[in-house]
Amino acid sequence: MRTISFICVAAVMIGCTSTPKVVTDVTEILPPRKTTDVVVYDVNDSMPANARSIGKLKVTDGGFTPTRKCQFVDMLSIALGQTAESGGNALHIDEHRYPDLRSTCHRIWGTMYIIPDSIVNKYPSQSIQEVEERYDEALLEAMVAAQLEQEEKRKKELDNPKNVIMVNAGVSWITSEIQTPLHLYKNHAGFGMNVDYQHIWGSGLGLGIDYLYYNTSFDGDITYNTHYIGPSIVGSMMSRNSLWRMNLALGIGYAYNTENVSASIYGYPSSKSESSVGVFGQIGAEYKLAKHVGVGIQLSYLTMRLDRPEGYDTSKYKFYGVKRFDLMAGLRFYL
C-alpha cells in the first residue's frame, strides 16, 4: 500500500508541475483580445508614449517541467496569451533568463500594455518573429562562445605536460653567515645539482618531489655537503605557442647537512652531521626542443636550521643555519 501511495503522490506532483507557471498582477480589468493582436517589445525596445500599463506577469518553471515544454518560444507564447486574456495588446519583456542551474526553462518577466491601435508601429507577427530571431542569435553566440572556451581549456590541458623530470646543475650561494673553526663566512659559493619530478593536472596545478645536493669547501680543509628531499606543490603554465613553460614549486622536506674537517686543523679528522626540516622554493622557465625533451633554467631557495656551534657567540642571530640560493640549468623530460 505504501508503494502504491507513493506512486500516486509522485504522479500527482508530476502532473501538477509538468507545465510552465504564469503569475499575473493585473491593475485594470479589460475585455479579452485575440492573441494575434498582441505586439511584443524586447528588453531594450522603448514603448510608445501613449502606452498604458495594465499589469505585470511572469512565466517561470512550474517544477519538473520538461525542457521541451519551456523553450523561449513556448514561454513567450504563454506570456502573449496571458496578455491577450487580460485585455492588453502589447507586451514588453522586462527580463529574460536563459536556462541555468536553478531551472532548465527559459523565464520571462514582462509588463502588459494597452496601446491605441492608431499608434501601433509594428505588426504583431513581425514583432514576435524579430524577438525570436534575436534570442535565437544570442543563444547561438553564447553556445559558440562556450564551445570555444571549452576547446581552449581542452587545448591547454593537452599542452601542459602531465609528467616532467628535471635534471639541473649549477652554482649555489650560502647567503647566511656560517661559523667555521677558522673563519666566519657569508655569501659563499659552491656546486649544486637537483632532480625534480612533477605531476601536472589539467588545471596547471600538481604535486612534485624534489632532491637537492650542495657541496662547498672552506679554507681548503673544511667541506660542507647538504642534501634535501621532500614533496612540493607545483604550478605550471604553458605559453600560447606551447613551447615555453613556467613552473613554480613550494615544499617542506628533510634536510641533512655534514661538515668534514681535515686533520690539519685539530690534528685528527672530524665529521659532524645534522638533520633538520628544510623549506624549499623554486621558480623556473623552460623551452621544449621536442615532444619529450626540453631545456630550462631555474632559481631555487633552501633554508634549514643548524645547531649553534660551541665556543662562538651567535646570539645576534635569531636564525642560525643555512640560507641558500641556487641558479641552475639543465634538461627536461616530458613523459
Side-chain angles (χ1 to χ4, degrees):
M1 289 297 293
R2 289 183 179 180
T3 304
I4 296 175
S5 299
F6 176 78
I7 294 174
C8 291
V9 171
V12 170
M13 289 179 62
I14 295 173
C16 293
T17 60
S18 61
T19 58
K21 177 175 63 177
V22 58
V23 178
T24 60
D25 181 13
V26 180
T27 58
E28 184 177 347
I29 304 299
L30 295 172
R33 291 173 174 262
K34 295 180 180 180
T35 304
T36 54
D37 294 337
V38 181
V39 179
V40 61
Y41 292 84
D42 204 357
V43 175
N44 297 320
D45 293 338
S46 57
M47 298 298 296
N50 293 336
R52 186 174 79 253
S53 171
I54 62 170
K56 298 278 189 177
L57 63 76
K58 62 179 180 180
V59 187
T60 58
D61 184 358
F64 300 104
T65 307
T67 304
R68 58 183 174 81
K69 290 187 178 182
C70 54
Q71 299 294 326
F72 177 73
V73 175
D74 305 313
M75 306 302 263
L76 179 60
S77 177
I78 294 172
L80 292 172
Q82 186 61 50
T83 301
E85 184 178 335
S86 301
N89 65 345
L91 170 68
H92 184 270
I93 299 176
D94 301 326
E95 182 181 358
H96 164 247
R97 294 182 189 175
Y98 287 95
D100 53 26
L101 294 177
R102 294 184 177 182
S103 174
T104 58
C105 295
H106 289 259
R107 286 145 291 166
I108 294 175
W109 285 259
T111 303
M112 299 177 287
Y113 287 90
I114 184 71
I115 303 175
D117 294 335
S118 59
I119 64 171
V120 174
N121 54 11
K122 59 175 73 176
Y123 292 106
S125 59
Q126 178 188 356
S127 69
I128 295 171
Q129 182 179 355
E130 289 175 355
V131 171
E132 289 178 354
E133 289 177 352
R134 198 176 302 167
Y135 278 103
D136 286 344
E137 183 178 350
L139 181 59
L140 180 61
E141 290 179 357
M143 291 174 62
V144 171
Q147 185 174 0
L148 291 175
E149 182 180 355
Q150 188 67 23
E151 286 293 325
E152 185 68 20
K153 181 180 179 181
R154 188 181 66 84
K155 184 176 182 297
K156 288 182 179 180
E157 291 179 354
L158 291 175
D159 289 342
N160 224 340
K162 299 296 186 293
N163 299 281
V164 184
I165 295 176
M166 303 186 291
V167 180
N168 296 279
V171 182
S172 300
W173 292 271
I174 294 179
T175 60
S176 57
E177 294 185 355
I178 300 295
Q179 180 69 60
T180 72
L182 296 181
H183 298 288
L184 178 68
Y185 284 92
K186 186 178 181 180
N187 296 328
H188 195 75
F191 168 77
M193 64 170 292
N194 63 16
V195 178
D196 310 282
Y197 167 75
Q198 297 178 348
H199 176 76
I200 312 298
W201 294 300
S203 61
L205 296 176
L207 296 174
I209 185 167
D210 310 277
Y211 169 76
L212 283 74
Y213 170 76
Y214 172 73
N215 173 269
T216 191
S217 63
F218 300 93
D219 308 316
D221 295 306
I222 304 171
T223 59
Y224 260 61
N225 293 296
T226 302
H227 301 267
Y228 168 87
I229 187 168
S232 60
I233 298 174
V234 177
S236 176
M237 183 176 67
M238 297 296 297
S239 64
R240 289 186 176 274
N241 60 9
S242 302
L243 294 178
W244 289 92
R245 187 177 81 102
M246 297 288 295
N247 66 89
L248 174 71
L250 298 171
I252 298 177
Y254 173 77
Y256 183 77
N257 190 79
T258 60
E259 175 187 342
N260 298 301
V261 181
S262 69
S264 62
I265 295 180
Y266 295 120
Y268 58 89
S270 66
S271 178
K272 178 183 178 182
S273 299
E274 300 178 50
S275 60
S276 177
V277 174
V279 178
F280 163 75
Q282 177 179 279
I283 185 171
E286 60 199 53
Y287 180 79
K288 292 181 70 174
L289 298 174
K291 183 177 180 181
H292 298 291
V293 180
V295 293
I297 186 171
Q298 65 187 35
L299 179 66
S300 303
Y301 173 77
L302 176 67
T303 179
M304 66 172 290
R305 287 186 177 274
L306 296 177
D307 294 336
R308 296 178 184 269
E310 298 180 0
Y312 298 94
D313 182 15
T314 59
S315 60
K316 65 177 182 178
Y317 306 116
K318 291 184 178 179
F319 168 89
Y320 184 81
V322 174
K323 293 182 179 179
R324 197 183 82 223
F325 283 95
D326 307 330
L327 181 60
M328 301 188 183
L331 294 174
R332 307 291 183 267
F333 301 96
Y334 309 111
L335 307 179

